[in-house]
Amino acid sequence: MTTVSRTFDVRPAPDLVIAYLKDFGNAEDWDPGTESCTRLDSGPVQVGSRWHNTSKIAGVSTELEYTLEQLTDDTIVLVGRNDTATSTDTITVVPSPDGPGSRITYEAVIELSGAAKVADPIMKIVFEKIGSDTEDDMTTVLNRLQG
């Protein structure tokens, strides 16, 4: 199991950040590994909403089906699954203690299964790099949001 976590501040208020990030289709804009992320259902984004995500990580394409498992005023939990991995992404958004804006904590827990487990030590290094790139991209994209 690999866990990667980042905490950082952005200018928009928490409600605007949650409204944007709960739609995982927006991952195409802020997740450097995501090549496409397509909604599988329709209607308002809510617990149970699903997306088909195609990512390229360390040159390898992978597809996961993500489900919005939890949505509150300050927390989003998305769980992606396929035959070899489960990725649980928890995004917590609270008012920034340093002034206006939001403090975001993004934690990704990646559990490899079966033969893929042997790659765990290597994946920790890869996902730490992706975590830093995601923080940079997410900060840039979120700071463009208008309230």
Side-chain angles (χ1 to χ4, degrees), residues 6-64:
R6 298 286 186 276
T7 299
F8 54 97
D9 292 341
V10 296
R11 290 189 296 269
D15 60 336
L16 192 60
V17 172
I18 289 283
Y20 176 79
L21 292 177
K22 73 179 181 181
D23 183 348
F24 197 55
N26 291 323
E28 292 177 8
D29 298 328
W30 56 259
D31 181 2
T34 293
E35 295 181 321
S36 68
C37 195
T38 307
R39 182 99 182 259
L40 296 174
D41 53 6
S42 60
V45 173
Q46 59 191 1
V47 170
S49 294
R50 299 177 301 116
W51 293 263
H52 179 86
N53 180 281
T54 302
S55 295
K56 187 173 273 190
I57 299 168
V60 177
S61 286
T62 187
E63 297 183 26
L64 290 99

Side-chain angles (χ1 to χ4, degrees), residues 32-104:
T34 293
E35 295 181 321
S36 68
C37 195
T38 307
R39 182 99 182 259
L40 296 174
D41 53 6
S42 60
V45 173
Q46 59 191 1
V47 170
S49 294
R50 299 177 301 116
W51 293 263
H52 179 86
N53 180 281
T54 302
S55 295
K56 187 173 273 190
I57 299 168
V60 177
S61 286
T62 187
E63 297 183 26
L64 290 99
E65 184 174 307
Y66 275 86
T67 303
L68 181 58
E69 301 268 335
Q70 180 183 339
L71 177 61
T72 67
D73 289 343
D74 65 1
T75 305
I76 299 164
V77 178
L78 292 148
V79 179
R81 296 177 179 89
N82 67 16
D83 291 342
T84 59
T86 299
S87 178
T88 303
D89 296 10
T90 303
I91 306 168
T92 305
V93 183
V94 297
S96 175
D98 301 327
S102 302
R103 173 151 298 166
I104 298 172

Side-chain angles (χ1 to χ4, degrees), residues 9-12 17 137-146:
D9 292 341
V10 296
R11 290 189 296 269
V17 172
D137 290 356
M138 188 181 282
T139 299
T140 299
V141 168
L142 290 173
N143 280 334
R144 289 186 200 136
L145 295 178
Q146 300 294 322

